[in-house]
Amino acid sequence: MAKEKKFVEAITAMDVDFAQWYTDIVKKAELVDYSSVKGCMIIRPYGYAIWENIQKYLDSRLKELGHENVYMPMFIPESLLQKEKDHVEGFAPEVAWVTHGGHEELTERLCVRPTSETLFCDHYAKIVQSYNDLPKLYNQWCSVVRWEKTTRPFLRTTEFLWQEGHTIHATAEEAQEETIRILNLYAELCENVLAIPVIKGQKTEKEKFAGAHATYTIESLMHDGKALQSGTSHNFGDGFARAFGIQYSDKTGKQQYVHQTSWGVTTRLIGALIMVHGDDSGLKLPPKIAPTQVIIVPIAQHKEGVLEKATELKNRIGNFARVKLDSSDKMPGWKFNEYEMKGVPLRLEVGPKDIENNQVVLVRRDTREKEIVSMNELENRIPQILEDIQNSMLESARKLRDEKTYTAVTMEEFKDIADNKPGFIKAMWCGETACEEKIKEVVGVTSRCMPFEQEHLSDKCICCGKEAKHMVYWGKAY
RNA sequence: CGGGGUGUGGCGCAGAUGGGAGCGCGCGUGGUUCGGGACCACGAGGUCGCAGGUUCAAGUCCUGUCGCCCCGACCA
């Protein structure tokens, strides 16, 4: 362990100070820089490349499912924002307002979008007339602004990047199907691409989105035992449709309100990647999302033929993986540490000895296992290793999460676990907000979700002792 | 928004009781090196967060203000 620490002195050890560890990684791996605007971050090329990979996957999957991308204005007139009561109330404390255009005060102030429900609704009301116009499956990639009090790179910033889908449907059933379809897509993104295991479930009344009929969520667990809401999908029912007058005439000529959904994931997912997979040497990226999957480090590159061979390998590997060659004058050891810190899944070392033996050295980031491979085998072996890294990262993340998931039946147990063992706690709940609030006050945890996969831990609500209606995942959350 | 901490070259820091702006790393050039953060030589780089004030003199003292970090209350 002491040896490991020596590798990367720049990063604070996780168990010494988790928050500092996170900040160190974010900066040292060159994901972000702080900007001159409070709470706003500069996403640097390496960080943005991760986001682009998330976008690529999600965007193509959404399009396969029939969604279309649009772009809405970043400003919302105050009157428009106020049309749905719960919605405004939910967002009012964190909206930024534009009051002036040039030197002139605006007659109506404009809000910088914290989310675009109202804009989509306003637009849908105009373009929808008949059942033939439905469904509308719109998605938008943009940034939104929420005036947060406490900010942290990726996890909570004043401005953040996201994707927001807004769909309208003829029936409640279709809207519900869409809501769940997207939740499943998000879960797939997390598990299959980001190697982050998630719990799918429904938010309680207290935790649901402002103005929603029901909110569904995927919850993941970070290395420090805190939960992170990683994506949400909302069924609005016809609440917004009524507030905004989004109606269509059905086949019988009757006016009906549409049924609506909205859903989003944000750059927060990058924070999840860091906190689920990272270790004391830095970031650890699953191959499917890593901007660079293979880094080639030439050894004694000044010697005859080394750089030529490294370049040749780069070109070959480039046919099936995202590869980079670092031919800078830095020491090989320096490069090893640098790319470990940046979480590059696989390192390929090639030096004079290797060339002599027609081999290379491959080193995995996740396990640090070293493997000598014949140069003839790269096309076979590298994809295998990358796939294996992808799978085993998901497995170890799942194992860690399961180890940090506890069960409580009494309040004493509940409190004891919450105080001493950071992680998810499963406990039964009667469904009353009063109990939820009391649990927060007494135990110090919030409800994360009512998982789709329910378990019967006891007949009674852990708080009031009345009949239990749901098993709930509780925890401290980001 | 409350409590605590912090702000000095790019980064990490030192600068007791007011009077030379310094160190390590990094950066540039040249050379020797290269299988886990190399070494030597030379060199570039600073409105001491910002604004006032006290003083002959402020990185240092006083007031205000802003940013960042940590802990809480609110949130993707």
Side-chain angles (χ1 to χ4, degrees), chain A residues 294 313 316-317 319-321 346 348 360 362 371 373-388:
Chain A
V294 182
L313 293 177
R316 262 174 65 191
I317 296 169
N319 291 321
F320 57 90
L346 192 61
L348 185 153
V360 299
L362 297 178
E371 179 176 331
V373 175
S374 159
M375 286 198 200
N376 307 328
E377 286 300 311
L378 298 180
E379 277 79 2
N380 293 327
R381 194 59 193 133
I382 290 177
Q384 277 172 3
I385 297 178
L386 290 177
E387 200 188 322
D388 193 57

Side-chain angles (χ1 to χ4, degrees), chain A residues 214-388:
Chain A
T215 290
Y216 300 90
T217 178
I218 47 171
E219 298 284 324
S220 52
L221 194 67
M222 304 299 105
H223 232 295
D224 62 346
K226 280 168 93 173
L228 188 77
Q229 179 176 307
S230 305
T232 47
S233 186
H234 317 287
N235 186 340
F236 287 158
D238 60 6
F240 278 81
R242 285 176 187 274
F244 285 82
I246 315 174
Q247 287 180 298
Y248 69 96
S249 41
D250 66 15
K251 288 183 182 176
T252 66
K254 243 173 77 186
Q255 287 291 301
Q256 302 280 4
Y257 286 106
V258 299
H259 295 264
Q260 195 168 355
T261 80
S262 101
W263 24 272
V265 292
T266 76
T267 35
R268 174 182 262 191
L269 285 175
I270 298 172
L273 274 174
I274 298 167
M275 291 193 290
V276 168
H277 299 305
D279 62 18
D280 284 347
S281 299
L283 198 55
K284 201 189 275 184
L285 292 174
K288 284 188 187 167
I289 210 69
T292 302
Q293 296 170 312
V294 182
I295 182 70
I296 300 177
V297 178
I299 309 296
Q301 61 184 40
H302 60 290
K303 291 199 177 149
E304 184 81 30
V306 173
L307 265 184
E308 287 79 355
K309 182 52 86 176
T311 305
E312 179 197 317
L313 293 177
K314 187 190 110 175
N315 292 335
R316 262 174 65 191
I317 296 169
N319 291 321
F320 57 90
R322 295 187 287 271
V323 61
K324 272 196 172 169
L325 164 64
D326 186 344
S327 57
S328 71
D329 285 332
K330 307 256 206 268
M331 304 293 292
W334 188 93
K335 294 176 188 175
F336 296 168
N337 289 315
E338 179 69 9
Y339 294 104
E340 274 172 24
M341 198 157 71
K342 289 191 158 181
V344 176
L346 192 61
R347 176 173 83 232
L348 185 153
E349 299 171 24
V350 58
K353 282 185 227 162
D354 299 312
I355 294 171
E356 218 173 283
N357 299 319
N358 194 45
Q359 66 182 34
V360 299
V361 177
L362 297 178
V363 185
R364 299 165 59 132
R365 170 66 179 86
D366 64 334
T367 58
R368 287 218 170 78
E369 276 173 279
K370 224 174 241 202
E371 179 176 331
I372 292 171
V373 175
S374 159
M375 286 198 200
N376 307 328
E377 286 300 311
L378 298 180
E379 277 79 2
N380 293 327
R381 194 59 193 133
I382 290 177
Q384 277 172 3
I385 297 178
L386 290 177
E387 200 188 322
D388 193 57

Side-chain angles (χ1 to χ4, degrees), chain A residues 151-217:
Chain A
T151 58
R152 298 188 69 192
F154 295 120
L155 300 176
R156 172 156 292 107
T157 48
T158 301
E159 181 187 13
F160 58 90
L161 303 182
W162 76 348
Q163 151 286 120
E164 51 176 320
H166 297 268
T167 68
I168 48 175
H169 308 263
T171 66
E173 293 70 35
E174 276 179 55
Q176 179 63 13
E177 276 167 27
E178 171 76 358
T179 309
I180 300 303
R181 183 180 303 126
I182 298 298
L183 190 77
N184 286 331
L185 173 59
Y186 287 164
E188 254 175 66
L189 165 71
C190 284
E191 303 204 333
N192 298 345
V193 181
L194 308 180
I196 297 172
V198 296
I199 308 283
K200 291 189 271 190
Q202 185 174 354
K203 285 286 186 187
T204 60
E205 277 300 299
K206 184 173 184 292
E207 297 283 332
K208 78 177 189 190
F209 181 82
H213 173 70
T215 290
Y216 300 90
T217 178

Side-chain angles (χ1 to χ4, degrees), chain A residues 377-478:
Chain A
E377 286 300 311
L378 298 180
E379 277 79 2
N380 293 327
R381 194 59 193 133
I382 290 177
Q384 277 172 3
I385 297 178
L386 290 177
E387 200 188 322
D388 193 57
I389 294 174
Q390 182 78 33
N391 294 337
S392 71
M393 282 181 71
L394 175 62
E395 272 327 297
S396 50
R398 182 168 281 144
K399 196 171 154 236
L400 191 84
R401 182 197 64 191
D402 291 347
E403 281 168 8
K404 289 182 190 291
T405 300
Y406 307 93
T407 297
V409 178
T410 66
M411 279 297 261
E412 293 69 41
E413 263 183 307
F414 203 4
K415 174 92 178 122
D416 181 58
I417 296 167
D419 288 346
N420 301 307
K421 298 173 183 168
F424 280 134
I425 308 170
K426 296 188 277 191
M428 303 306 285
W429 175 58
C430 63
E432 294 297 323
T433 303
C435 279
E436 195 176 347
E437 278 166 354
K438 191 177 170 197
I439 286 167
K440 186 178 176 186
E441 203 186 303
V442 175
V443 186
V445 295
T446 53
S447 77
R448 302 323 312 152
C449 73
M450 301 177 280
F452 293 158
E453 285 185 33
Q454 284 282 314
E455 295 167 52
H456 187 81
L457 308 172
S458 113
D459 296 328
K460 294 181 203 157
C461 172
I462 194 161
C463 182
C464 66
K466 288 184 196 146
E467 191 193 342
K469 295 212 174 86
H470 310 276
M471 182 196 83
V472 174
Y473 274 88
W474 308 83
K476 289 172 182 148
Y478 274 97

